[in-house]
């Protein structure tokens, strides 16, 4: 007979992800080129394809057409149709193929044309991809690229910020860069990680955000936040487009704000969050996703539970309205947190 099961919390948690020891890779040469985020992501994908010969890219119109955002343009000429594969308009099938490839020892990247469309493959993500290693030790070595975000007049079905849907699902890792340099480095790290990584890319940042990006291959650790700027009056904890909103608002208001870019949502960098809270005692959590049930609620709860004695004001949140993303420009502007951000920052400053 089987011996009695003796459960331990440590063993349970260890089963959620395949063990992975991250080894940071620095560029071998110092050369860097000014790149838009869209180009940095494309560069990272290209270098990942060169490094991992078992990597297959899948998505709608990603081969000859290069994808709706042109990130894989010319890839099929270099790597061929066997590794750069157009797929049917059937997200559940594409994601299922990623599971099958991993079982056969392959790596994959799935480009969800818009992050909204993942709903058509939701079962594959939350019940197969996320849980497979926990259930029977089979990891799913895939990166799901998720073009996300509003502010581009695309309406309710092409603009959602849906990272919180997956934040609540054990077994997934979630990355959301705000700079071109981070986008490339974190993407390359995602391909080295044998666990499923959801890689959120804000569409409005593709061609509006640029910066110096190392030309060579490099990685950035998943789960480590980045301190954007020091400040003594209040702290803003944010990610994605929120980093740029917070930086601009603080400058316009003349507020000496400490801004923390989470970069990774799963796992969260609790050490960096703790340091940021203790640095100012006043904390605003900012994200584009709708307010109720957003990631800001979890961060706020954690701060109140673990760092209450360091607070000089209630933890505040600023996020989008609890509505679908509107089409009309004026309604979309009202929907986004930027419509309320300066007011909330001033309220926190004056508390």
């Amino acid at each position: 007979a089987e011996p009695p099961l003796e459960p331990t919390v440590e063993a349970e948690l260890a089963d959620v992800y395949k063990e992975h020891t991250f080894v940071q890779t620095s560029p071998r040469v110092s050369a860097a080129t000014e790149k838009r985020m869209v180009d940095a992501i494309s560069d990272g994908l290209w270098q990942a394809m060169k490094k991992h010969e078992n990597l297959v890219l899948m998505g709608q119109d990603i081969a000859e057409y290069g994808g709706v955002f042109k990130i894989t343009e010319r890839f099929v000429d270099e790597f061929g149709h066997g590794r750069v594969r157009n797929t049917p308009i059937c997200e559940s099938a594409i994601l299922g193929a990623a599971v099958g490839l991993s079982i056969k020892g392959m790596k994959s990247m799935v480009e969800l044309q818009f992050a909204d469309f993942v709903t058509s493959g939701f079962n594959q993500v939350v019940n197969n991809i996320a849980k497979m290693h926990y259930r029977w030790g089979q990891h799913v070595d895939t990166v799901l690229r998720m073009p996300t975000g509003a502010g581009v007049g695309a309406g309710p079905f092409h603009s959602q910020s849906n990272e919180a849907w997956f934040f609540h699902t054990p077994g997934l890792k979630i990355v959301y860069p705000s700079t071109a340099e981070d986008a490339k480095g974190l993407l390359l790290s995602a391909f080295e990680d044998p666990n499923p990584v959801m890689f959120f890319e804000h569409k409005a940042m593709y061609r509006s955000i640029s910066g110096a990006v190392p030309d060579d291959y490099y990685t950035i650790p998943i789960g480590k936040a980045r301190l954007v700027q020091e400040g003594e009056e209040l702290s803003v904890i944010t990610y994605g487009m929120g980093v740029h909103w917070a930086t601009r608002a603080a400058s316009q208001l003349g507020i000496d704000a400490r801004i923390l870019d989470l970069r990774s949502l799963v796992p969260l960098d609790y050490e960096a969050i703790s340091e940021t809270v203790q640095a100012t005692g006043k904390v605003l959590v900012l994200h584009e996703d709708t307010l109720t049930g957003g990631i800001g609620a979890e961060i706020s709860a954690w701060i109140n539970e673990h760092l209450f004695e360091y607070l000089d004001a209630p933890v505040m949140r600023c996020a989008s309205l609890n509505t679908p993303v509107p089409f009309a420009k004026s309604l979309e502007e009202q929907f986004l947190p930027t419509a309320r951000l300066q007011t909330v920052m001033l309220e926190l400053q004056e508390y």
Side-chain angles (χ1 to χ4, degrees), residues 247-327:
T247 305
R248 183 169 61 247
S251 176
Q252 291 172 346
L253 294 171
I255 293 177
D256 186 23
R258 181 183 176 99
I259 299 174
L260 183 70
D261 178 4
L262 293 170
R263 301 198 293 192
S264 298
L265 304 179
V266 180
L268 280 170
D269 188 348
Y270 287 109
E271 182 179 350
I273 292 171
S274 180
E275 290 174 1
T276 293
V277 172
Q278 295 181 52
T280 68
K282 295 182 177 181
V283 183
L284 168 63
V285 187
L286 167 67
H287 56 66
E288 182 176 328
D289 191 11
T290 50
L291 182 68
T292 301
I295 290 169
E298 172 62 27
I299 295 172
S300 176
W302 187 87
I303 292 170
N304 279 305
E305 184 177 349
H306 296 277
L307 302 166
F308 183 77
E309 64 269 28
Y310 298 104
L311 294 175
D312 296 323
V315 178
M316 295 187 178
R317 293 176 294 153
C318 187
S320 292
L321 296 179
N322 291 318
T323 71
V325 184
F327 262 120

Coordinates of all heavy atoms in Angstrom, one line a residue, residues 247-327:
T247 N 5.7 59.3 -13.7 CA 6.9 60.2 -13.9 C 6.5 61.6 -14.4 O 6.9 62.6 -13.9 CB 7.9 59.6 -14.9 OG1 8.2 58.2 -14.4 CG2 9.1 60.4 -15.0
R248 N 5.6 61.6 -15.4 CA 5.1 62.9 -15.9 C 4.3 63.7 -14.9 O 4.5 64.9 -14.7 CB 4.3 62.6 -17.2 CG 3.8 63.9 -17.9 CD 3.2 63.6 -19.3 NE 2.0 62.7 -19.2 CZ 2.0 61.5 -19.7 NH1 3.1 61.0 -20.3 NH2 0.9 60.8 -19.6
A249 N 3.4 63.0 -14.2 CA 2.5 63.7 -13.2 C 3.4 64.3 -12.1 O 3.1 65.4 -11.7 CB 1.5 62.7 -12.7
A250 N 4.3 63.5 -11.6 CA 5.2 64.0 -10.5 C 5.9 65.3 -11.0 O 6.1 66.2 -10.2 CB 6.1 62.9 -10.1
S251 N 6.4 65.2 -12.2 CA 7.2 66.4 -12.7 C 6.3 67.6 -12.9 O 6.6 68.7 -12.5 CB 7.8 66.0 -14.1 OG 8.4 67.1 -14.7
Q252 N 5.1 67.4 -13.4 CA 4.1 68.5 -13.6 C 3.7 69.1 -12.3 O 3.5 70.3 -12.2 CB 2.9 68.0 -14.4 CG 3.3 67.7 -15.9 CD 2.1 67.0 -16.6 OE1 1.2 66.6 -16.0 NE2 2.3 67.0 -18.0
L253 N 3.5 68.3 -11.3 CA 3.0 68.8 -10.0 C 4.2 69.2 -9.1 O 3.9 69.8 -8.0 CB 2.3 67.6 -9.3 CG 1.0 67.2 -9.9 CD1 0.4 66.0 -9.2 CD2 -0.1 68.3 -9.9
G254 N 5.4 69.0 -9.4 CA 6.5 69.3 -8.6 C 6.6 68.5 -7.3 O 7.1 68.9 -6.3
I255 N 6.1 67.2 -7.4 CA 6.2 66.3 -6.3 C 7.4 65.5 -6.3 O 7.8 64.9 -7.4 CB 4.9 65.4 -6.2 CG1 3.7 66.3 -6.0 CG2 5.0 64.3 -5.2 CD1 2.4 65.5 -6.0
D256 N 8.1 65.4 -5.2 CA 9.3 64.6 -5.1 C 8.9 63.1 -4.8 O 8.8 62.7 -3.7 CB 10.2 65.1 -4.0 CG 11.6 64.4 -3.9 OD1 12.0 63.8 -4.9 OD2 12.2 64.4 -2.8
A257 N 8.6 62.4 -5.9 CA 8.0 61.1 -5.8 C 9.1 60.0 -6.1 O 9.8 60.1 -7.0 CB 6.9 60.9 -6.8
R258 N 9.0 59.0 -5.3 CA 9.8 57.8 -5.5 C 8.9 56.9 -6.4 O 7.8 56.5 -6.0 CB 10.2 57.1 -4.2 CG 11.0 55.8 -4.3 CD 11.2 55.2 -2.9 NE 11.9 54.0 -2.9 CZ 13.2 53.8 -2.7 NH1 14.0 54.9 -2.4 NH2 13.8 52.6 -2.7
I259 N 9.4 56.4 -7.5 CA 8.6 55.6 -8.4 C 9.3 54.3 -8.6 O 10.5 54.2 -9.0 CB 8.5 56.3 -9.8 CG1 7.8 57.7 -9.6 CG2 7.7 55.5 -10.8 CD1 7.7 58.5 -10.8
L260 N 8.5 53.2 -8.3 CA 9.0 51.8 -8.5 C 8.3 51.2 -9.6 O 7.0 51.1 -9.6 CB 8.7 51.1 -7.2 CG 9.2 49.6 -7.2 CD1 10.8 49.6 -7.1 CD2 8.7 48.9 -6.0
D261 N 9.0 50.7 -10.6 CA 8.5 49.9 -11.7 C 8.6 48.4 -11.4 O 9.7 47.9 -11.3 CB 9.3 50.2 -13.0 CG 8.8 49.5 -14.2 OD1 7.8 48.7 -14.1 OD2 9.5 49.6 -15.2
L262 N 7.4 47.8 -11.2 CA 7.5 46.4 -10.8 C 8.1 45.5 -11.8 O 8.7 44.5 -11.5 CB 6.0 45.9 -10.4 CG 5.4 46.6 -9.2 CD1 3.9 46.2 -9.2 CD2 6.1 46.1 -7.9
R263 N 7.9 45.7 -13.1 CA 8.3 44.9 -14.2 C 7.8 43.5 -14.2 O 7.3 43.0 -15.3 CB 9.9 44.9 -14.2 CG 10.6 46.2 -14.3 CD 12.0 46.1 -14.8 NE 12.9 45.4 -13.8 CZ 14.2 45.4 -13.9 NH1 14.8 46.0 -14.9 NH2 14.9 44.8 -13.0
S264 N 7.8 42.8 -13.1 CA 7.3 41.5 -13.0 C 6.1 41.5 -12.0 O 6.2 42.1 -10.9 CB 8.3 40.5 -12.5 OG 9.4 40.4 -13.4
L265 N 5.0 40.9 -12.4 CA 3.8 40.8 -11.5 C 3.7 39.5 -10.8 O 3.2 39.4 -9.7 CB 2.6 41.1 -12.3 CG 2.6 42.5 -13.1 CD1 1.3 42.6 -13.9 CD2 2.8 43.6 -12.2
V266 N 4.2 38.5 -11.4 CA 4.4 37.1 -10.8 C 5.7 36.6 -11.2 O 5.9 36.3 -12.4 CB 3.2 36.2 -11.2 CG1 3.5 34.8 -10.5 CG2 1.9 36.7 -10.8
P267 N 6.7 36.5 -10.3 CA 6.6 36.9 -8.9 C 6.8 38.4 -8.7 O 7.4 39.0 -9.4 CB 7.7 36.1 -8.3 CG 8.8 36.0 -9.4 CD 8.0 35.8 -10.7
L268 N 6.2 38.9 -7.6 CA 6.3 40.2 -7.2 C 7.6 40.4 -6.4 O 8.0 39.5 -5.6 CB 5.2 40.7 -6.3 CG 3.9 41.1 -7.0 CD1 2.7 41.3 -6.0 CD2 4.1 42.4 -7.8
D269 N 8.2 41.5 -6.5 CA 9.4 41.9 -5.7 C 9.0 42.5 -4.4 O 9.0 43.7 -4.3 CB 10.4 42.8 -6.5 CG 11.7 43.0 -5.9 OD1 11.9 42.6 -4.7 OD2 12.6 43.5 -6.6
Y270 N 8.7 41.7 -3.4 CA 8.2 42.2 -2.1 C 9.3 43.0 -1.4 O 9.0 43.9 -0.6 CB 7.7 41.1 -1.3 CG 6.4 40.5 -1.8 CD1 6.3 39.3 -2.4 CD2 5.2 41.3 -1.6 CE1 5.1 38.8 -2.8 CE2 4.0 40.8 -2.1 CZ 3.9 39.5 -2.7 OH 2.7 39.1 -3.1
E271 N 10.6 42.6 -1.6 CA 11.7 43.4 -1.0 C 11.7 44.8 -1.4 O 11.8 45.8 -0.7 CB 13.0 42.7 -1.2 CG 14.2 43.3 -0.5 CD 15.5 42.6 -0.8 OE1 15.5 41.5 -1.3 OE2 16.5 43.2 -0.4
A272 N 11.6 45.0 -2.8 CA 11.6 46.3 -3.3 C 10.3 47.1 -2.9 O 10.4 48.3 -2.6 CB 11.7 46.3 -4.9
I273 N 9.2 46.4 -2.8 CA 8.0 47.1 -2.4 C 8.2 47.6 -0.9 O 7.8 48.7 -0.6 CB 6.8 46.1 -2.5 CG1 6.4 45.9 -4.0 CG2 5.6 46.7 -1.8 CD1 5.4 44.8 -4.2
S274 N 8.7 46.7 -0.1 CA 9.0 47.1 1.3 C 9.9 48.3 1.4 O 9.6 49.2 2.2 CB 9.5 45.9 2.1 OG 9.8 46.2 3.4
E275 N 11.0 48.3 0.7 CA 11.9 49.4 0.7 C 11.2 50.7 0.3 O 11.5 51.8 0.9 CB 13.1 49.1 -0.2 CG 14.0 48.0 0.4 CD 15.1 47.7 -0.6 OE1 15.2 48.3 -1.7 OE2 15.9 46.8 -0.3
T276 N 10.4 50.6 -0.7 CA 9.7 51.8 -1.3 C 8.7 52.4 -0.3 O 8.6 53.6 -0.1 CB 9.1 51.5 -2.6 OG1 10.1 51.2 -3.6 CG2 8.2 52.6 -3.1
V277 N 8.0 51.5 0.4 CA 7.0 51.9 1.4 C 7.8 52.6 2.6 O 7.4 53.7 3.0 CB 6.2 50.7 1.9 CG1 5.4 51.1 3.1 CG2 5.3 50.2 0.8
Q278 N 8.8 52.0 3.1 CA 9.5 52.5 4.2 C 10.3 53.8 3.9 O 10.5 54.7 4.7 CB 10.5 51.5 4.7 CG 9.9 50.3 5.3 CD 10.9 49.3 5.8 OE1 11.7 49.6 6.6 NE2 10.7 48.0 5.4
A279 N 10.6 54.0 2.6 CA 11.3 55.2 2.2 C 10.5 56.5 2.4 O 11.1 57.6 2.7 CB 11.8 55.1 0.7
T280 N 9.2 56.5 2.2 CA 8.4 57.7 2.2 C 7.2 57.6 3.2 O 6.7 58.6 3.6 CB 7.8 58.0 0.8 OG1 6.9 57.0 0.4 CG2 8.9 58.1 -0.2
G281 N 6.7 56.4 3.5 CA 5.5 56.3 4.4 C 4.2 56.6 3.7 O 3.1 56.5 4.3
K282 N 4.2 57.0 2.5 CA 3.0 57.3 1.7 C 3.1 56.6 0.4 O 4.0 56.8 -0.4 CB 2.9 58.8 1.5 CG 2.7 59.7 2.8 CD 2.5 61.1 2.5 CE 2.2 62.0 3.7 NZ 2.0 63.4 3.4
V283 N 2.0 55.8 0.1 CA 2.1 54.9 -1.1 C 0.8 55.1 -1.9 O -0.3 55.0 -1.4 CB 2.3 53.5 -0.6 CG1 2.4 52.6 -1.8 CG2 3.4 53.3 0.3
L284 N 1.1 55.2 -3.2 CA 0.0 55.1 -4.2 C 0.3 53.9 -5.2 O 1.5 53.8 -5.7 CB 0.0 56.4 -5.1 CG -0.9 56.4 -6.3 CD1 -2.4 56.2 -6.0 CD2 -0.7 57.7 -7.1
V285 N -0.6 53.1 -5.4 CA -0.5 52.0 -6.3 C -1.3 52.3 -7.6 O -2.5 52.6 -7.5 CB -1.0 50.6 -5.7 CG1 -0.6 49.5 -6.7 CG2 -0.3 50.3 -4.4
L286 N -0.6 52.4 -8.7 CA -1.2 52.9 -9.9 C -1.2 51.8 -11.0 O -0.1 51.1 -11.2 CB -0.4 54.1 -10.4 CG -0.6 54.6 -11.9 CD1 -2.1 55.1 -12.0 CD2 0.4 55.6 -12.2
H287 N -2.3 51.5 -11.6 CA -2.3 50.6 -12.8 C -3.4 51.0 -13.7 O -4.4 51.6 -13.4 CB -2.4 49.1 -12.4 CG -3.5 48.7 -11.5 ND1 -4.8 48.8 -12.0 CD2 -3.6 48.3 -10.3 CE1 -5.6 48.3 -11.0 NE2 -4.9 48.0 -9.9
E288 N -3.3 50.5 -15.0 CA -4.3 50.8 -16.0 C -5.5 50.0 -15.9 O -6.6 50.4 -16.3 CB -3.7 50.7 -17.4 CG -4.6 51.1 -18.5 CD -4.0 51.1 -19.9 OE1 -2.8 51.3 -20.0 OE2 -4.7 50.7 -20.9
D289 N -5.4 48.8 -15.4 CA -6.5 47.9 -15.3 C -7.6 48.5 -14.4 O -7.3 49.4 -13.7 CB -6.0 46.6 -14.6 CG -7.0 45.4 -14.6 OD1 -8.0 45.6 -15.4 OD2 -6.8 44.4 -14.0
T290 N -8.8 48.0 -14.5 CA -9.9 48.6 -13.7 C -9.6 48.4 -12.2 O -8.9 47.5 -11.8 CB -11.2 47.9 -14.1 OG1 -11.1 46.5 -14.1 CG2 -11.7 48.3 -15.5
L291 N -10.2 49.3 -11.4 CA -9.8 49.4 -10.0 C -10.2 48.1 -9.2 O -9.4 47.6 -8.5 CB -10.5 50.6 -9.4 CG -10.2 50.9 -7.9 CD1 -8.8 51.3 -7.7 CD2 -11.2 51.9 -7.4
T292 N -11.4 47.7 -9.3 CA -11.9 46.6 -8.5 C -11.3 45.3 -8.8 O -11.3 44.8 -9.9 CB -13.4 46.5 -8.6 OG1 -14.0 47.7 -8.2 CG2 -14.0 45.4 -7.6
G293 N -10.6 44.6 -7.8 CA -10.0 43.4 -8.0 C -8.7 43.4 -8.8 O -8.2 42.4 -9.2
G294 N -8.2 44.6 -9.0 CA -6.9 44.7 -9.7 C -5.7 44.3 -8.8 O -5.8 44.1 -7.6
I295 N -4.5 44.3 -9.5 CA -3.3 43.9 -8.8 C -3.0 44.9 -7.6 O -2.4 44.6 -6.6 CB -2.2 43.8 -9.8 CG1 -2.4 42.6 -10.7 CG2 -0.8 43.7 -9.1 CD1 -1.5 42.5 -11.8
G296 N -3.4 46.2 -7.8 CA -3.2 47.2 -6.8 C -3.9 46.8 -5.5 O -3.4 47.1 -4.4
A297 N -5.0 46.1 -5.5 CA -5.7 45.7 -4.3 C -4.9 44.7 -3.5 O -4.8 44.7 -2.3 CB -7.1 45.1 -4.6
E298 N -4.2 43.7 -4.2 CA -3.4 42.7 -3.5 C -2.1 43.4 -2.9 O -1.8 43.1 -1.8 CB -2.9 41.7 -4.5 CG -1.9 40.7 -4.0 CD -2.4 39.9 -2.9 OE1 -3.6 39.7 -2.7 OE2 -1.5 39.4 -2.1
I299 N -1.5 44.3 -3.7 CA -0.3 45.0 -3.2 C -0.7 45.9 -1.9 O 0.0 45.9 -0.9 CB 0.3 45.9 -4.3 CG1 0.9 45.0 -5.4 CG2 1.4 46.7 -3.7 CD1 1.3 45.7 -6.6
S300 N -1.8 46.6 -2.0 CA -2.3 47.4 -0.9 C -2.6 46.5 0.3 O -2.2 46.9 1.5 CB -3.6 48.1 -1.3 OG -4.1 48.8 -0.2
A301 N -3.2 45.4 0.1 CA -3.5 44.5 1.3 C -2.2 44.0 1.9 O -2.1 43.9 3.1 CB -4.3 43.3 0.8
W302 N -1.2 43.6 1.0 CA 0.1 43.1 1.6 C 0.8 44.2 2.4 O 1.4 43.9 3.4 CB 0.9 42.6 0.4 CG 2.2 42.0 0.9 CD1 2.4 40.6 1.2 CD2 3.5 42.6 1.1 NE1 3.6 40.4 1.6 CE2 4.4 41.6 1.6 CE3 4.0 43.9 1.0 CZ2 5.7 41.8 1.9 CZ3 5.3 44.1 1.3 CH2 6.1 43.1 1.8
I303 N 0.8 45.4 1.9 CA 1.4 46.5 2.6 C 0.7 46.8 3.9 O 1.4 46.9 5.0 CB 1.4 47.8 1.7 CG1 2.3 47.7 0.5 CG2 1.8 49.0 2.6 CD1 2.1 48.8 -0.5
N304 N -0.6 46.8 4.0 CA -1.3 47.0 5.2 C -1.0 45.8 6.2 O -1.0 46.1 7.4 CB -2.8 47.1 4.9 CG -3.2 48.5 4.5 OD1 -2.9 49.5 5.2 ND2 -3.8 48.6 3.3
E305 N -0.9 44.6 5.7 CA -0.6 43.5 6.6 C 0.8 43.4 7.1 O 1.0 43.1 8.3 CB -0.9 42.2 5.8 CG -0.8 40.9 6.6 CD -1.2 39.7 5.8 OE1 -1.7 39.8 4.7 OE2 -1.0 38.6 6.3
H306 N 1.7 43.8 6.3 CA 3.1 43.6 6.7 C 3.9 44.9 7.1 O 4.9 44.9 7.7 CB 3.9 42.9 5.6 CG 3.4 41.6 5.3 ND1 3.8 40.4 6.0 CD2 2.5 41.1 4.4 CE1 3.2 39.4 5.5 NE2 2.4 39.7 4.6
L307 N 3.4 46.1 6.6 CA 4.2 47.3 6.8 C 3.3 48.5 7.4 O 3.7 49.6 7.2 CB 4.7 47.7 5.4 CG 5.6 46.7 4.7 CD1 5.8 47.1 3.2 CD2 7.0 46.6 5.4
F308 N 2.3 48.1 8.1 CA 1.3 49.1 8.6 C 2.0 50.2 9.4 O 1.7 51.3 9.3 CB 0.2 48.4 9.4 CG -0.8 49.4 9.9 CD1 -1.8 49.8 9.0 CD2 -0.8 49.8 11.2 CE1 -2.8 50.7 9.5 CE2 -1.8 50.6 11.7 CZ -2.8 51.1 10.8
E309 N 3.0 49.7 10.2 CA 3.7 50.7 11.2 C 4.5 51.7 10.5 O 4.9 52.7 11.1 CB 4.5 49.9 12.2 CG 5.7 49.1 11.6 CD 5.4 47.7 11.1 OE1 4.2 47.4 10.8 OE2 6.3 46.9 11.2
Y310 N 4.8 51.5 9.2 CA 5.6 52.5 8.4 C 4.8 53.5 7.7 O 5.3 54.5 7.1 CB 6.5 51.8 7.4 CG 7.5 50.8 8.0 CD1 7.3 49.5 8.0 CD2 8.6 51.3 8.7 CE1 8.2 48.6 8.6 CE2 9.6 50.5 9.3 CZ 9.3 49.1 9.2 OH 10.2 48.2 9.8
L311 N 3.4 53.3 7.7 CA 2.6 54.2 6.9 C 2.2 55.5 7.6 O 1.9 55.5 8.8 CB 1.3 53.4 6.5 CG 1.4 52.2 5.6 CD1 0.1 51.5 5.4 CD2 2.0 52.7 4.2
D312 N 2.3 56.6 6.9 CA 1.8 57.9 7.4 C 0.5 58.3 6.8 O 0.0 59.4 7.0 CB 2.9 58.9 7.1 CG 4.2 58.7 7.8 OD1 4.1 58.2 9.0 OD2 5.2 58.9 7.3
A313 N 0.0 57.4 5.9 CA -1.3 57.7 5.2 C -1.9 56.4 4.7 O -1.1 55.4 4.6 CB -1.1 58.7 4.0
P314 N -3.2 56.3 4.5 CA -3.7 55.1 3.9 C -3.1 54.8 2.5 O -2.8 55.8 1.8 CB -5.2 55.4 3.7 CG -5.5 56.6 4.6 CD -4.2 57.4 4.7
V315 N -2.9 53.6 2.2 CA -2.5 53.2 0.9 C -3.6 53.6 -0.1 O -4.7 53.2 0.1 CB -2.1 51.7 0.8 CG1 -1.7 51.4 -0.7 CG2 -1.0 51.3 1.7
M316 N -3.2 54.3 -1.1 CA -4.2 54.8 -2.1 C -4.0 54.1 -3.4 O -2.9 53.6 -3.8 CB -4.1 56.3 -2.3 CG -4.5 57.1 -1.1 SD -4.6 58.9 -1.4 CE -5.1 59.5 0.2
R317 N -5.1 53.9 -4.2 CA -5.0 53.3 -5.5 C -5.6 54.3 -6.6 O -6.5 55.0 -6.3 CB -5.9 52.0 -5.5 CG -5.3 50.9 -4.7 CD -6.3 49.7 -4.7 NE -7.5 50.0 -4.1 CZ -8.7 49.4 -4.3 NH1 -8.7 48.5 -5.3 NH2 -9.8 49.7 -3.7
C318 N -5.0 54.2 -7.7 CA -5.5 54.9 -8.9 C -5.5 54.0 -10.1 O -4.5 53.4 -10.4 CB -4.7 56.1 -9.2 SG -5.3 57.2 -10.4
A319 N -6.7 53.8 -10.7 CA -6.8 52.8 -11.8 C -7.9 53.3 -12.7 O -8.5 54.4 -12.5 CB -7.1 51.5 -11.2
S320 N -8.3 52.5 -13.7 CA -9.3 52.8 -14.6 C -10.7 52.6 -14.0 O -10.8 51.8 -13.0 CB -9.2 52.0 -15.9 OG -8.0 52.4 -16.6
L321 N -11.7 53.2 -14.6 CA -13.1 53.1 -14.1 C -13.5 51.6 -14.3 O -13.1 50.9 -15.2 CB -14.0 54.0 -14.9 CG -13.8 55.5 -14.8 CD1 -14.8 56.2 -15.7 CD2 -13.9 56.0 -13.3
N322 N -14.5 51.3 -13.5 CA -15.1 49.9 -13.6 C -16.1 49.8 -14.7 O -17.3 49.6 -14.5 CB -15.7 49.5 -12.2 CG -14.6 49.3 -11.2 OD1 -13.6 48.7 -11.4 ND2 -14.9 49.8 -10.0
T323 N -15.6 50.0 -15.9 CA -16.5 49.9 -17.1 C -15.7 49.3 -18.2 O -14.4 49.2 -18.1 CB -16.9 51.3 -17.6 OG1 -15.8 52.0 -18.2 CG2 -17.5 52.2 -16.5
P324 N -16.3 48.8 -19.3 CA -15.5 48.4 -20.4 C -14.8 49.6 -21.0 O -15.1 50.7 -20.7 CB -16.6 47.9 -21.4 CG -17.7 47.5 -20.6 CD -17.7 48.5 -19.4
V325 N -13.8 49.3 -21.8 CA -13.0 50.4 -22.4 C -13.8 51.1 -23.5 O -14.2 50.4 -24.5 CB -11.7 49.9 -23.0 CG1 -10.8 51.1 -23.6 CG2 -10.9 49.1 -22.0
P326 N -14.1 52.4 -23.4 CA -15.0 53.0 -24.4 C -14.2 53.3 -25.7 O -13.0 53.4 -25.8 CB -15.4 54.4 -23.7 CG -14.9 54.3 -22.3 CD -13.8 53.3 -22.3
F327 N -15.0 53.4 -26.8 CA -14.5 53.8 -28.1 C -14.2 55.3 -28.2 O -13.1 55.8 -28.6 CB -15.5 53.5 -29.2 CG -15.2 52.2 -29.9 CD1 -16.1 51.1 -29.9 CD2 -14.0 52.0 -30.6 CE1 -15.8 49.9 -30.6 CE2 -13.7 50.8 -31.3 CZ -14.6 49.8 -31.2

